[in-house]
Amino acid sequence: MADTYVGLIVLEIDGTEYEVVSLSTTENTNRKVVKTMNSSGRPLGTSKGVADYALTVNVAIPKTGEPNWSTLIDGKVTAYPQDGGGVRETWTGVHLVTKGSTYNLDNEATRELQLAALNYYTE
C-alpha cells in the first residue's frame, strides 16, 4: 500500500497569499535545568520557560505589488497542505526581524524574511 504525503504548502499572511519558495520554523521552549544541592549529585528537575517562535520564509519577489515587509507587525501566518492532508499550522503576533534578498543564476529573485511569532497552534 502506498503512503500519502503532504503536497504543496500555501502561505497566507493577513489573508493574502504569497508565492513561497521555502518555509522553515523553529520553536525554542527556553526550559532550563535547575541545579540543586542534593545527595544524588545531579539535577532533579527543570524550570518552565517561555516559548518563542522563529520563522524563515523565502518568497518570490513580484514585479509589481510587493508589500512593505518592514510594516509587518502583529501579523498572522498560516501554512496548510493544499491537498487536504495534514494539519494547518498558524503563528500569530508575527513581526519582521530581518529582511534580505537573494538573486541566483536560475533567474530567481527571492526575499528572505526572518520573522518572530508570539503564539503557535494547529487547526
Side-chain angles (χ1 to χ4, degrees):
M1 183 170 139
D3 290 331
T4 303
Y5 296 97
V6 174
L8 300 172
I9 301 292
V10 177
L11 179 72
E12 294 179 12
I13 299 177
D14 292 335
T16 304
E17 290 185 4
Y18 295 95
E19 297 294 326
V20 175
V21 177
S22 68
L23 168 67
S24 65
T25 63
T26 304
E27 177 182 356
N28 185 0
T29 63
N30 289 314
R31 292 186 186 112
K32 305 284 187 227
V33 173
V34 177
K35 298 178 181 177
T36 60
M37 290 188 223
N38 56 54
S39 60
S40 66
R42 59 182 182 88
L44 296 179
T46 59
S47 66
K48 183 177 179 182
V50 176
D52 57 55
Y53 308 93
L55 294 85
T56 302
V57 180
N58 286 321
V59 296
I61 300 174
K63 288 183 180 179
T64 59
E66 182 178 19
N68 182 359
W69 295 110
S70 300
T71 61
L72 177 59
I73 297 174
D74 198 30
K76 178 180 177 183
V77 175
T78 303
Y80 58 93
Q82 188 177 27
D83 298 333
V87 296
R88 291 175 55 155
E89 296 181 291
T90 301
W91 294 266
T92 57
V94 174
H95 57 278
L96 180 72
V97 177
T98 60
K99 174 181 76 169
S101 301
T102 303
Y103 307 97
N104 62 32
L105 294 175
D106 295 332
N107 294 326
E108 288 184 358
T110 61
R111 191 79 65 207
E112 181 178 289
L113 308 172
Q114 300 284 333
L115 307 172
L118 302 178
N119 192 18
Y120 166 78
Y121 58 91
T122 58
E123 301 178 87

